[in-house]
């Protein structure tokens, strides 16, 4: 078995270790004896989505998102078809925003792909902190780090998770990210996957199932360190005393 992972625009969209998500996808396949090929697509490259099994769209500053926008418009229809045909996508922060209709920054409106029925609008106070989610997809919490000026309004979409600690899509809705078909779109950097191996395996299993047409359950890996990293953050923010201290520190 083999999966091909397309890393879209690492020259522009690669904040806070998003590239680590690629390493994690690749290693967790290789550790199970499954071949992994990673193809980085620099802005302007032609992308043949029919050859891809997993697509990663990382985060970027407002400026980088503006630069990437014209390239995204050229691949819009192929990307949409890939998603509608159950292609697996992980979109993080700036990449998440660009899957929607638009991101209205302080100065301009950046047109998105319109694959998700969502919109994002900038507000002056950035939403920055560690974040813990309770996702309907998993029993284990999802942990990460968020840093965004955009507020994302997801309409009728299903959120990736309920915010246990942190701010999420708008800082007010109590929701974070979007799940749509085999797309996970989220504000969680960190990078997301090494601290959340369950999310990584979820994406890989769906990509393998789509490609090989049978239900696939990946064999477990010795994830003690990964689980420690995850529960260190999840437990820290479940501790009410700590949360209170953090909140006071942030607002004083
Ligand atoms: N530039 C976007 C924002 O600030 C996304 C930032 C990011 O990808 N971390 O909202």
């Amino acid at each position: 078995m083999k999966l091909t992972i397309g890393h879209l625009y690492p020259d522009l969209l690669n904040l806070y270790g998003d590239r680590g998500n690629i390493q994690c996808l690749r290693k967790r396949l290789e550790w199970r004896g499954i071949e992994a090929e990673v193809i980085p697509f620099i802005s302007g490259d032609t992308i043949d989505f029919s050859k891809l099994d997993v697509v990663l769209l990382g985060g970027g500053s407002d400026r980088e998102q503006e630069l990437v926008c014209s390239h995204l418009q050229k691949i819009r229809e192929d990307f949409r078809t890939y998603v509608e045909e159950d292609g697996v996508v992980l979109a993080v922060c700036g990449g998440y925003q660009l899957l929607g209709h638009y991101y209205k920054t302080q100065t301009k409106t950046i047109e998105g792909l319109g694959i998700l029925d969502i919109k994002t609008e900038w507000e002056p106070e950035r939403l920055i902190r560690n974040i813990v989610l309770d996702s309907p997809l998993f029993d284990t919490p999802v942990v990460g780090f968020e840093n965004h000026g955009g507020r994302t309004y997801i309409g009728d979409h299903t959120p990736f998770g309920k915010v246990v600690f942190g701010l999420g899509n708008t800082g007010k809705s109590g929701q974070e990210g979007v799940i749509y078909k085999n797309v996970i779109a989220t504000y969680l950097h960190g990078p997301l996957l090494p601290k959340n191996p369950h999310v990584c395996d979820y994406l890989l299993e769906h990509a393998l199932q789509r490609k090989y047409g049978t239900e696939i359950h990946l064999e477990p890996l010795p994830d003690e360190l990964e689980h420690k990293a995850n529960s260190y953050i999840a437990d820290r923010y479940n501790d009410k005393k700590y949360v209170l201290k953090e909140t006071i520190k942030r607002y004083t």
Side-chain angles (χ1 to χ4, degrees):
M1 288 197 289
K2 175 184 172 180
L3 288 184
T4 304
I5 301 161
H7 188 182
L8 265 56
Y9 312 130
D11 52 330
L12 292 172
L13 301 179
N14 182 33
L15 274 183
Y16 316 125
D18 286 342
R19 201 184 294 269
N21 291 322
I22 292 285
Q23 290 293 91
C24 188
L25 289 161
R26 183 211 288 269
K27 284 315 240 182
R28 294 184 73 80
L29 284 170
E30 288 174 354
W31 285 332
R32 285 147 163 147
I34 302 170
E35 204 184 322
E37 184 187 5
V38 176
I39 310 181
F41 295 100
I42 307 300
S43 41
D45 283 356
T46 307
I47 303 174
D48 180 354
F49 281 90
S50 70
K51 301 249 172 353
L52 302 180
D53 305 304
V54 181
V55 166
L56 178 91
L57 197 58
S61 66
D62 291 4
R63 183 184 151 273
E64 288 160 335
Q65 286 175 283
E66 206 184 315
L67 291 173
V68 99
C69 170
S70 61
H71 302 293
L72 286 178
Q73 295 316 318
K74 291 189 197 121
I75 60 163
R76 176 197 281 241
E77 283 319 310
D78 290 349
F79 201 160
R80 186 198 304 279
T81 306
Y82 171 79
V83 167
E84 292 304 322
E85 289 176 353
D86 300 320
V88 171
V89 178
L90 175 64
V92 178
C93 201
Y96 164 30
Q97 296 170 345
L98 290 170
L99 287 184
H101 297 298
Y102 64 81
Y103 170 33
K104 195 165 180 228
T105 71
Q106 192 176 9
T107 51
K108 330 196 132 70
T109 299
I110 302 172
E111 198 183 345
L113 288 154
I115 292 172
L116 301 179
D117 191 12
I118 63 171
K119 56 188 189 181
T120 302
E121 291 177 6
W122 180 91
E123 285 185 28
E125 195 194 342
R126 291 192 73 77
L127 304 181
I128 311 172
R129 63 178 61 182
N130 284 308
I131 175 162
V132 181
L133 307 181
D134 178 5
S135 171
L137 301 178
F138 311 108
D139 296 331
T140 310
V142 179
V143 303
F145 162 74
E146 58 180 325
N147 182 353
H148 49 111
R151 272 57 170 173
T152 299
Y153 301 91
I154 67 166
D156 292 335
H157 276 296
T158 307
F160 178 39
K162 225 167 60 195
V163 177
V164 177
F165 180 83
L167 296 156
N169 283 337
T170 64
K172 292 182 186 135
S173 64
Q175 297 179 333
E176 203 292 316
V178 163
I179 314 164
Y180 174 69
K181 293 189 154 249
N182 282 336
V183 177
I184 291 182
T186 176
Y187 272 113
L188 273 61
H189 290 281
L192 170 73
L193 299 181
K195 293 184 216 168
N196 298 285
H198 45 302
V199 181
C200 189
D201 286 355
Y202 173 90
L203 296 170
L204 295 175
E205 281 179 348
H206 280 75
L208 288 164
Q209 271 165 28
R210 175 172 177 262
K211 183 160 184 187
Y212 293 102
T214 49
E215 197 159 319
I216 289 171
H217 295 287
L218 289 167
E219 59 185 88
L221 292 170
D223 281 331
E224 287 78 15
L225 282 177
E226 288 80 353
H227 289 143
K228 260 192 193 162
N230 180 289
S231 52
Y232 175 76
I233 293 293
D235 295 347
R236 177 166 156 188
Y237 292 105
N238 265 336
D239 178 343
K240 293 216 168 39
K241 276 195 302 265
Y242 194 95
V243 171
L244 192 66
K245 232 166 61 197
E246 274 271 302
T247 311
I248 290 167
K249 207 166 75 198
R250 245 192 203 275
Y251 291 106
T252 49

